[in-house]
Amino acid sequence: MAMRPYRQARYGRWSTASYSLALVKSSLSLSLVTHNWQNRFRDLVAGIVADALDEVEYDKIANLLDRDVGRIQRWIADCCVSNYTYWVCAFSVNQHSGICGGNPHGDCDPVSGHLHPTCSCSAQKYFNSTPPLYVNQSVRCEMNKFPEMMAFISARDLNFSQVIVVDVRFDIFTRAWCIAELAMADAVGMRQHLTVLNAHTLERHEAKLRFLKIEKMQASRPEDVEEILRTIPNKQLFNQSLQALIFERLFPTWYNLDAQEQSTVVGRVARWQAVAILRRSLGVYEGRSSLGPAVIGAQEVKRKETK
């Protein structure tokens, strides 16, 4: 499994469009990862690994990343998913041609609490309004072409999908670019896979998402919010569509596993229980007040099959 930028060294000249084209030609399985930068990097990696291993929750993967990376590497090899490619903007977009030199909001590392350092490189920076312009957008800026990139690849690769790695606080649904990517993926018919820490976090944050409005979204750069809002003439209709996308498609898909998928979940539970026994730790679901709809449904299917 790879999360690798396909570009030259020393702030190479690969643009987002050329990089995307290279991936279309070379990748056997390509997924765009939608995530928010305030999330822990470990949890981002765990969400991607969980998607590759067909896990719907990534909390246990995150735990193993801290304690037993070798086991995860063996699972990836055994499941033959090491050739999956995930497009992550943090790696795939040349940050040295944009935001590396500033931290305008004083963002801190979510683990250490230290202020994020800035880069002192001399690479040329290209932002939304940097000339030359085409349709009032910078041609050389790599941070304003996500919709075009998604439409381009999905038109040429029917298997191109979106993986939505939801952070523990569900802040991803308050970030302007993340919402724009969700809407674009839905509009062009991409398969969308939602991965969350666990069922408890989804249940805890579900109610507040009922009040999402694109007008209240945030971004690291205010001009990004302004640019996204300019592309949405009917914001009320967009907000209604956003609610339908989240509550009628994304969440139900996560919750309502069919019988075959529920049987697969039973296998996942057994795999994780074996890890718990081997490591002499608390059982995977032992002590939880709720197993979550997916696991409960899977256990019910298993009981019926054994009767």
Side-chain angles (χ1 to χ4, degrees), residues 127-141 144-145 148 221 223-224 226-228 230-231:
F127 296 104
N128 295 28
S129 58
T130 303
L133 303 181
Y134 178 75
V135 194
N136 296 321
Q137 292 186 337
S138 174
V139 173
R140 294 177 179 174
C141 177
N144 60 359
K145 297 177 176 61
E148 291 82 1
R221 303 184 303 151
E223 58 266 36
D224 285 346
E226 295 172 4
E227 181 176 323
I228 291 172
R230 278 199 302 269
T231 65

Side-chain angles (χ1 to χ4, degrees), residues 233-246:
N234 190 332
K235 296 174 180 56
Q236 181 178 0
L237 180 60
F238 181 92
N239 290 331
Q240 293 172 353
S241 300
L242 177 62
Q243 290 291 312
L245 170 61
I246 293 174

Side-chain angles (χ1 to χ4, degrees), residues 47-115:
I48 294 171
V49 173
D51 178 79
L53 294 177
D54 250 351
E55 296 276 346
V56 294
E57 301 174 337
Y58 64 78
D59 55 350
K60 297 179 290 298
I61 293 286
N63 182 273
L64 275 186
L65 283 174
D66 286 338
R67 303 169 186 272
D68 193 352
V69 175
R71 183 177 298 277
I72 294 178
Q73 292 173 327
R74 290 192 294 274
W75 284 351
I76 289 173
D78 292 343
C79 294
C80 300
V81 296
S82 59
N83 60 350
Y84 285 14
T85 300
Y86 291 84
W87 197 101
V88 181
C89 62
F91 306 119
S92 303
V93 172
N94 185 1
Q95 306 302 327
H96 291 290
S97 69
I99 64 174
C100 74
N103 184 3
H105 302 288
D107 292 336
C108 296
D109 186 289
V111 178
S112 68
H114 297 156
L115 188 70

Side-chain angles (χ1 to χ4, degrees), residues 136-181:
N136 296 321
Q137 292 186 337
S138 174
V139 173
R140 294 177 179 174
C141 177
E142 293 195 29
M143 297 174 289
N144 60 359
K145 297 177 176 61
F146 286 93
E148 291 82 1
M149 179 270 291
M150 295 170 68
F152 175 84
I153 299 180
S154 63
R156 289 159 175 76
D157 183 359
L158 296 180
N159 294 317
F160 183 44
S161 62
Q162 180 185 44
V163 176
I164 306 155
V165 180
V166 181
D167 59 289
V168 65
R169 297 185 303 182
F170 276 56
D171 287 340
I172 187 173
F173 294 105
T174 68
R175 308 303 295 179
W177 274 119
C178 295
I179 295 301
E181 290 174 16

Side-chain angles (χ1 to χ4, degrees), residues 56-60 166-168 170 195-205 254-255 285 288 290-293:
V56 294
E57 301 174 337
Y58 64 78
D59 55 350
K60 297 179 290 298
V166 181
D167 59 289
V168 65
F170 276 56
T195 175
V196 301
L197 184 72
N198 53 48
H200 304 290
T201 58
L202 181 56
E203 294 164 0
R204 186 164 62 248
H205 293 282
W254 193 90
Y255 274 129
Y285 294 101
R288 286 193 180 186
S290 170
L291 302 184

